Amino acid sequence: MPGNKYNNSNPSTPRTRLERLLRERELRKSNRSINLNEEAKDGSRQVELFGKDTLLGETETQDFSNVDENLEESSPRVFLDGCERQDGHGRPSKQRLLVVANRLPVSAIRKGEEQWLLEISVGGLVSALLGVKEFDARWIGWAGVNVPDETGQIALTKALAEKRCIPVFLDEEIVHQYYNGYCNNILWPLFHYLGLPQEDRLATTRSFQSQFDAYKKANQMFADVVNEHYEEGDVVWCHDYHLMFLPECLKKHNDNMKVGWFLHTPFPSSEIHRTLPSRSELLKSVLAADLVGFHTYDYARHFVSACTRILGLEGTPEGVEDQGKLTRVAAFPIGIDSDRFVRALEIPEVQEHMKELKERFAGRKVMLGVDRLDMIKGIPQKILAFEKFLEENPSWRDKVVLLQIAVPTRTDVPEYQKLTSQVHEIVGRINGRFGTLTAVPIHHLDRSLDFHALCALYAVTDVALVTSLRDGMNLVSYEFVACQAAKKGVLILSEFAGAAQSLGAGAILVNPWNITEVASSIAYALNMPADEREKRHQHNFMHVTTHTSQEWAATFVSELNDTIVEAQLRTRQVPPLLPMKEAVGRYSESNNRLLILGFNATLTEPIGALGRRGGQIKEMEPKLHPDLKEPLKKLSEDPKTTVVVLSGSDRNILDDNFSDYNMWLAAENGMFLRLTAGEWMTTMPENLTMEWVESVKHVFEYFTERTPRSHFELRETSLVWNYKYADVEFGRLQARDMLQHLWTGPISNASVDVVQGSRSVEVRAVGVTKGAAIDRILGEIVHNKGMKAPIDYVLCIGHFLPKDEDVYTFFEPELPSETPPPPRAILTNSITPSLPKFSASSKGSSKSSRLNKQRSIGANPCKPTWRDKMSLHEGSSVLDLKGENYFSCSVGRKRSSARYLLASSDDVVTLLKELAEG
């Protein structure tokens, strides 16, 4: 990586990903302490992220009506924090960070043709990024207003530039279809496990396609703005479900762009996500990012599971792997700017608020709820649990009060209007039932509080109630803990909020649907001993103050940068794409060519990962790609070309597909060989034992019965159990169970190799590999053809298991290198070759009547030796192969010892057509 400080030979250089991240963490801490010291010396050097000037002479005001759901995790309030833009010498010194979210942190209101009022709309995401000083941040998003005229767009762009914001201009129709339609009516309910009534679901289905098209169009518009402002080296951080298509759009434009994507809501289980019609497209688009982040491990696990179950990709501890390309998936719990809350408690205005509240509720315990008025926040469940508590604990009725702050959102939506009426009805009923002339048990506010009033309320609260039915994180719980240094109140937290993963040890976790459980938890919290409250608070306070919003953002970008380093290191191990022109040109210039071709996934048609529309049957009975029939005919009839199909498949399958061609067929990894004009021969060594077959067969049959959609193949030298079409996670568990059983039972003392594919288990005799067989196959081909001219061109193509990739290294010419090359078999006439001895039949294969009819390579007593066939002066070797005339290609398997890579069997078709025509 150019300019990468890790690419040096210093022994202290971190070599592993963990070492690099630990060093980066220490550097961040060091830089932060330096910044704090400098700011203490000169407080005036701090520059606000969105600028210091007021906008057009107007004061900045709150506007929560347009706050996105991805910004709603924190309490409704407004604050701005500083962000240092330059180093001590006035020079820009930070990595640029392009934050791309659906909404800008400001809402624009037009006051004239070229005049705009900008209102700050701050939520969890904005507060998380405002305090991050390690990066030079720019914010890209929609300003919340339709600007159809160019004059207005220019004026708004200029006004936002002063706040380091860049607008994306969306028209009303796009906003209606993309934001109100697809985002809020389809994705948001789905991600929060909210089921739609059947009639609404049908109506949504009818309008789905137009909304999805608008969603993709809007994402492309965001991408166009990012591409316009992107500079090399920038980090692009995409946020939330509004922009799931953005990573793919960005990578298509510039594959080297550093792209991260973070979801601020829950990600549902794969069973929920698979009901979405566009499920696959969205997952593939997100996987284009380099790093995908979630609040909790559960959400990350659900995402990886959806990719494996729906896309058929490989889930790993690191993330999701697709043809060698790894997308890292990890959990990054967001935090708050805890210092701001701690400092706020010392402000005289906040202390005055606290004094008033203590006097107002003197003699009563204060319980608090702060939520958006939304279906997922569980406000009705919370109030009903409080009613249950009052019913069961009459002595507490005049000693406790519940303060519920419910900020209205989406007031124009019928479901939200219905929820508001429902909450008001429940509150009125409880207050009428348990209230007195001087006091009521519930104080319900349908509005937001300013920051100072909210901090004061947090500080005087004895018990905080968070009863979310589903919540990405819920930072209200964090804010409550940050303000409780004196009171050390108790947090009752829903287990369905992401914060339960972080604060679960110090909070009382509850199931909000269980009203009785929540009521008893309220009683336990109000009666909790002081020492227990102290311990719980200290645990939570330590987490909240160390896992801050600034640390969250810095950690994500640091991991993203390191993911790029890892990807570059991994890419160096990936073979380059085959230079087809060079391969065809060398082929034309050579005189004696050898083509070794795999079969499955090489000469067959590509099949979908999940085998839909009959794909599973096709793959179980593989057929030659129809476009390859003519090219293979021409190549096999060329006297200068020898074609070998080398496959792990059974002989019958190769017979069915290639009997009409003049070529060599090597079945079961080369253990059986024939020229299509002749009979099958065995190349198996005499010492190959197969006594283990029956016992392994019984095990494979057992696991096939237990694993739906799996199957096994009984071959003469191996057995293969394949679970590609089974449930991926269940298949892996079954494979692990099978391996444990095999190693402790049937094969514990047998001379066998267990070869694990991505979704298969194969048991074969020791020494059965394509590389081991090719030496014997080559000897037979040379003998049969009476070959005198040396082989001067080899093309070896296949989708082979790693165990069989020794066929690539067998032909590798000895090239100058720093380390000695691995030993390999080369037949030369300077040393008399000694071909292995072969038997007429395999000891363990007597159960097959076909094997008794075949001719063995070593069974012909009149077969001339190599020295008889080739005199000393005819050629220098069997393989007179120069480095530039050898092309080994892996098909679709990027981690390979082959020299080159072909993406799929379609590329094989293109290559063989060009060879045939050349």
Side-chain angles (χ1 to χ4, degrees):
M1 181 176 179
N4 177 14
K5 61 180 176 290
Y6 303 129
N7 289 349
N8 57 54
S9 57
N10 192 318
S12 64
T13 298
R15 297 185 181 276
T16 67
R17 178 175 157 269
L18 180 59
E19 288 176 356
R20 289 196 299 271
L21 292 174
L22 286 173
R23 171 174 285 192
E24 187 69 24
R25 182 170 177 267
E26 293 303 315
L27 287 173
R28 283 206 308 273
K29 285 184 177 180
S30 175
N31 292 337
R32 195 171 296 132
S33 62
I34 292 172
N35 289 335
L36 289 174
N37 291 334
E38 290 181 351
E39 288 170 11
K41 294 177 183 177
D42 183 9
S44 63
R45 267 201 329 106
Q46 192 167 344
V47 182
E48 292 189 359
L49 173 63
F50 300 112
K52 191 75 174 178
D53 303 331
T54 54
L55 308 180
L56 305 179
E58 302 279 353
T59 56
E60 297 170 341
T61 60
Q62 303 186 61
D63 176 15
F64 294 109
S65 61
N66 293 319
V67 176
D68 278 342
E69 281 75 10
N70 63 318
L71 307 182
E72 69 210 6
E73 306 290 356
S74 65
S75 62
R77 64 186 182 281
V78 169
F79 60 88
L80 289 176
D81 210 355
C83 181
E84 199 172 41
R85 298 177 62 182
Q86 298 176 336
D87 64 12
H89 302 285
R91 297 189 302 262
S93 60
K94 301 178 178 68
Q95 183 176 25
R96 286 209 339 162
L97 176 63
L98 301 183
V99 179
V100 192
N102 175 62
R103 286 295 304 275
L104 290 172
V106 295
S107 294
I109 300 176
R110 195 160 193 170
K111 294 296 185 181
E113 187 176 356
E114 297 185 13
Q115 289 185 323
W116 290 91
L117 169 67
L118 302 183
E119 296 183 343
I120 305 299
S121 300
V122 180
L125 173 60
V126 184
S127 62
L129 294 170
L130 284 176
V132 179
K133 297 175 171 55
E134 286 87 353
F135 309 101
D136 178 16
R138 301 284 188 279
W139 200 295
I140 297 175
W142 177 51
V145 64
N146 180 31
V147 190
D149 60 299
E150 187 176 351
T151 303
Q153 292 184 4
I154 293 173
L156 180 56
T157 301
K158 184 177 180 181
L160 288 171
E162 297 176 4
K163 308 301 170 186
R164 303 172 73 188
C165 294
I166 301 166
V168 177
F169 294 105
L170 305 175
D171 59 52
E172 290 183 355
E173 179 62 22
I174 285 285
V175 170
H176 175 68
Q177 294 268 17
Y178 143 74
Y179 180 67
N180 297 325
Y182 194 77
C183 292
N184 286 345
N185 288 338
I186 296 177
L187 288 183
W188 191 86
L190 182 86
F191 282 14
H192 288 86
Y193 294 79
L194 294 179
L196 296 173
Q198 189 64 28
E199 60 273 14
D200 290 349
R201 188 180 298 278
L202 292 173
T204 298
T205 302
R206 283 196 296 269
S207 60
F208 170 82
Q209 193 57 48
S210 62
Q211 293 179 358
F212 186 53
D213 291 341
Y215 181 83
K216 291 193 287 187
K217 182 178 179 181
N219 275 246
Q220 186 58 56
M221 294 169 73
F222 276 86
D224 293 340
V225 176
V226 174
N227 294 332
E228 181 183 345
H229 292 85
Y230 174 81
E231 297 176 6
E232 188 175 355
D234 288 357
V235 169
V236 183
W237 193 1
C238 313
H239 288 271
D240 230 4
Y241 58 92
H242 308 90
L243 301 174
M244 294 181 76
F245 253 97
L246 186 57
E248 184 178 58
C249 295
L250 296 174
K251 285 290 190 176
K252 281 183 177 178
H253 178 78
N254 183 355
D255 190 51
N256 295 322
M257 192 180 291
K258 299 178 183 179
V259 178
W261 183 79
F262 191 90
L263 182 67
H264 293 266
T265 68
F267 192 90
S269 70
S270 60
E271 290 303 310
I272 298 293
H273 185 77
R274 75 192 308 169
T275 62
L276 187 66
S278 56
R279 58 195 186 178
S280 298
E281 292 177 84
L282 290 177
L283 290 175
K284 289 176 182 176
S285 302
V286 171
L287 288 175
D290 300 294
L291 176 63
V292 176
F294 299 91
H295 281 311
T296 71
Y297 171 71
D298 281 351
Y299 307 156
R301 177 172 54 85
H302 289 162
F303 177 79
V304 173
S305 178
C307 292
T308 56
R309 291 171 181 264
I310 296 171
L311 300 181
L313 301 179
E314 195 71 23
T316 71
E318 290 290 304
V320 179
E321 187 169 353
D322 181 11
Q323 298 294 327
K325 193 262 184 185
L326 177 69
T327 300
R328 280 207 62 228
V329 179
F332 301 91
I334 197 172
I336 63 171
D337 185 359
S338 56
D339 288 343
R340 181 175 178 79
F341 286 86
V342 173
R343 292 193 305 266
L345 299 180
E346 301 172 0
I347 298 174
E349 183 182 351
V350 175
Q351 292 182 343
E352 184 64 28
H353 275 301
M354 291 169 60
K355 182 180 178 182
E356 293 174 0
L357 290 169
K358 287 177 181 177
E359 292 174 355
R360 174 73 178 81
F361 301 111
R364 304 172 77 182
K365 293 283 188 179
V366 177
M367 298 177 60
L368 175 66
V370 180
D371 306 277
R372 282 185 309 103
L373 193 54
D374 199 310
M375 278 84 72
I376 66 165
K377 295 299 182 180
I379 296 176
Q381 287 81 356
K382 179 190 305 183
I383 300 173
L384 289 173
F386 184 63
E387 180 185 28
K388 181 77 171 174
F389 165 75
L390 295 177
E391 287 176 355
E392 296 177 347
N393 300 273
S395 61
W396 276 100
R397 290 177 184 175
D398 58 347
K399 296 179 182 178
V400 64
V401 60
L402 171 63
L403 308 180
Q404 177 61 53
I405 313 298
V407 183
T409 57
R410 304 183 68 187
T411 53
D412 58 332
V413 178
E415 287 83 357
Y416 285 76
Q417 295 170 355
K418 181 179 178 181
L419 175 65
T420 303
S421 300
Q422 182 186 23
V423 170
H424 288 173
E425 180 185 338
I426 298 173
V427 170
R429 176 170 56 79
I430 295 173
N431 282 341
R433 181 181 176 188
F434 297 106
T436 65
L437 291 174
T438 56
V440 292
I442 300 177
H443 290 248
H444 181 86
L445 278 69
D446 278 333
R447 63 181 181 85
S448 62
L449 296 181
D450 64 39
F451 177 66
H452 292 156
L454 194 62
C455 288
L457 193 54
Y458 281 142
V460 302
T461 296
D462 296 282
V463 178
L465 262 175
V466 177
T467 56
S468 305
L469 306 181
R470 290 283 171 187
D471 228 344
M473 179 55 75
N474 192 294
L475 297 181
V476 168
S477 54
Y478 279 59
E479 295 166 356
F480 167 74
V481 170
C483 295
Q484 282 288 311
K487 196 87 171 181
K488 296 178 175 57
V490 181
L491 173 64
I492 297 177
L493 181 60
S494 166
E495 64 187 55
F496 299 112
Q501 303 285 333
S502 308
L503 305 180
I508 300 176
L509 295 185
V510 295
N511 176 1
W513 294 100
N514 189 336
I515 303 300
T516 304
E517 179 190 352
V518 179
S520 63
S521 297
I522 292 173
Y524 182 71
L526 290 172
N527 293 293
M528 186 178 291
D531 60 338
E532 184 179 348
R533 284 193 286 114
E534 171 84 23
K535 289 178 182 177
R536 287 177 177 270
H537 169 73
Q538 289 300 331
H539 181 91
N540 286 343
F541 190 76
M542 179 64 68
H543 181 89
V544 169
T545 52
T546 54
H547 295 76
T548 62
S549 56
Q550 295 89 344
E551 188 65 24
W552 167 76
T555 300
F556 184 91
V557 180
S558 174
E559 291 255 9
L560 177 56
N561 281 321
D562 194 77
T563 298
I564 302 298
V565 175
E566 283 284 303
Q568 290 172 338
L569 294 174
R570 195 180 297 108
T571 301
R572 292 172 189 170
Q573 301 168 0
V574 173
L577 291 175
L578 175 70
M580 287 202 184
K581 288 186 178 179
E582 183 181 348
V584 174
R586 296 284 179 182
Y587 175 87
S588 302
E589 297 169 3
S590 56
N591 296 311
N592 192 6
R593 310 132 175 172
L594 176 64
L595 306 186
I596 300 175
L597 309 174
F599 183 40
N600 277 323
T602 303
L603 301 180
T604 58
E605 286 188 273
I607 296 175
L610 294 185
R612 301 190 187 280
R613 299 176 184 172
Q616 182 174 358
I617 301 299
K618 286 183 181 179
E619 185 152 308
M620 290 173 65
E621 300 175 0
K623 297 293 182 183
L624 178 65
H625 197 303
D627 294 341
L628 279 173
K629 292 182 178 179
E630 285 302 316
L632 278 181
K633 196 80 172 174
K634 291 182 181 178
L635 291 171
S636 61
E637 291 174 355
D638 186 340
K640 292 184 177 181
T641 304
T642 303
V643 180
V644 180
V645 174
L646 179 58
S647 173
S649 298
D650 187 78
R651 287 176 285 173
N652 283 337
I653 294 176
L654 297 189
D655 283 338
D656 292 343
N657 286 277
F658 300 101
S659 292
D660 296 335
Y661 302 93
N662 180 27
M663 60 174 60
W664 290 84
L665 304 179
E668 297 199 27
N669 300 306
M671 291 299 101
F672 298 97
L673 178 70
R674 85 172 177 106
L675 184 62
T676 48
E679 296 180 357
W680 281 103
M681 306 169 274
T682 178
T683 68
M684 290 187 290
E686 287 180 344
N687 60 352
L688 200 65
T689 59
M690 303 290 289
E691 286 86 359
W692 48 268
V693 170
E694 284 300 319
S695 56
V696 173
K697 176 186 172 185
H698 292 316
V699 174
F700 277 22
E701 287 175 341
Y702 173 74
F703 279 93
T704 300
E705 292 171 1
R706 288 182 59 193
T707 313
R709 300 182 73 186
S710 68
H711 66 279
F712 83 95
E713 298 174 50
L714 176 61
R715 300 170 182 170
E716 294 186 45
T717 58
S718 65
L719 286 89
V720 182
W721 182 67
N722 191 305
Y723 59 94
K724 180 174 183 179
Y725 300 104
D727 179 276
V728 177
E729 294 177 9
F730 181 61
R732 284 180 187 151
L733 291 174
Q734 293 291 78
R736 186 172 63 186
D737 193 9
M738 173 192 283
L739 289 169
Q740 290 175 347
H741 183 77
L742 287 173
W743 284 121
T744 57
I747 64 173
S748 56
N749 296 314
S751 298
V752 298
D753 285 327
V754 177
V755 184
Q756 287 183 264
S758 60
R759 291 174 198 173
S760 65
V761 176
E762 181 177 357
V763 179
R764 59 170 78 159
V766 170
V768 176
T769 68
K770 291 179 172 67
I774 198 67
D775 193 7
R776 304 191 285 269
I777 293 170
L778 184 61
E780 177 61 18
I781 291 172
V782 172
H783 157 64
N784 182 278
K785 296 186 72 171
M787 193 179 290
K788 297 183 177 180
I791 296 173
D792 58 354
Y793 179 95
V794 174
L795 173 65
C796 185
I797 307 175
H799 180 80
F800 301 140
L801 292 170
K803 178 79 174 176
D804 293 316
E805 287 201 342
D806 53 357
V807 70
Y808 296 140
T809 55
F810 174 84
F811 290 101
E812 193 67 50
E814 294 191 26
L815 301 174
S817 62
E818 296 178 2
T819 58
R824 58 187 176 81
I826 296 182
L827 304 180
T828 68
N829 66 354
S830 58
I831 302 176
T832 304
S834 55
L835 293 176
K837 297 179 181 179
F838 309 112
S839 61
S841 63
S842 171
K843 293 181 181 179
S845 311
S846 57
K847 64 183 185 297
S848 171
S849 60
R850 288 183 300 151
L851 195 57
N852 296 327
K853 298 178 181 179
Q854 67 192 12
R855 179 179 69 85
S856 167
I857 290 178
N860 184 358
C862 301
K863 187 180 80 168
T865 64
W866 177 256
R867 193 173 291 277
D868 292 332
K869 289 295 294 179
M870 177 180 281
S871 62
L872 289 174
H873 63 273
E874 290 178 317
S876 59
S877 66
V878 176
L879 291 177
D880 185 17
L881 197 57
K882 297 179 181 178
E884 59 269 23
N885 277 6
Y886 175 51
F887 297 89
S888 56
C889 307
S890 174
V891 180
R893 192 185 296 281
K894 292 189 176 180
R895 293 184 182 179
S896 171
S897 57
R899 287 186 169 196
Y900 302 107
L901 178 68
L902 288 171
S904 70
S905 57
D906 289 334
D907 292 333
V908 178
V909 172
T910 303
L911 173 62
L912 295 186
K913 279 184 176 180
E914 292 191 18
L915 291 179
E917 292 168 1

